[in-house]
Amino acid sequence: MDSKVETLYSELRKTRQELIDKLNDKNGSPLVRPFIQEELADIEDTLNKMELGMFGKCEISGEFIPEELLSMIPTIKTMEDCNKMDRFYRKAIY
């Protein structure tokens, strides 16, 4: 792993532990629990990809996902997901 991927790996491991702690919190909202579980599954998948050297590749086409997008959203899975981001991203007018 290169240094950027190692940094992301470390951050994802910390986030994974935080999510596990939230799931184990008996005072947590049962309405939020499914969202936490889904995010935890995405993080687990991403960590596995990093360990296998598959991180950053589209799950459909195999092409590389842009590095700047991966640094913002390391759990992104496909180029289709990248293209959907354009709908939500807005550039400043000024």
Side-chain angles (χ1 to χ4, degrees):
M1 280 190 259
D2 69 12
S3 65
K4 288 182 182 180
V5 174
E6 287 180 20
T7 301
L8 281 174
Y9 185 82
S10 177
E11 290 175 15
L12 286 171
R13 287 179 50 118
K14 288 177 190 173
T15 302
R16 176 180 63 184
Q17 189 56 52
E18 290 172 7
L19 292 173
I20 290 170
D21 292 344
K22 289 288 185 188
L23 285 174
N24 291 330
D25 182 3
K26 302 300 180 201
N27 296 323
S29 169
L31 298 174
V32 176
R33 189 175 193 79
F35 296 104
I36 294 173
Q37 290 170 327
E38 186 177 329
E39 185 64 25
L40 184 59
D42 285 345
I43 288 173
E44 291 289 349
D45 288 344
T46 302
L47 289 170
N48 287 334
K49 285 180 190 177
M50 288 175 161
E51 291 166 1
L52 296 172
M54 306 276 298
F55 176 69
K57 291 184 181 178
C58 173
E59 290 182 356
I60 297 171
S61 68
E63 65 184 300
F64 287 102
I65 296 171
E67 190 174 310
E68 56 275 355
L69 187 57
L70 284 169
S71 65
M72 291 186 293
I73 309 167
T75 56
I76 201 160
K77 296 179 182 211
T78 66
M79 288 303 295
E80 183 179 321
D81 294 340
C82 294
N83 295 332
K84 288 179 185 176
M85 294 297 296
D86 288 339
R87 292 192 310 221
F88 300 104
Y89 176 72
R90 303 225 186 252
K91 293 183 180 180
I93 296 174
Y94 49 92

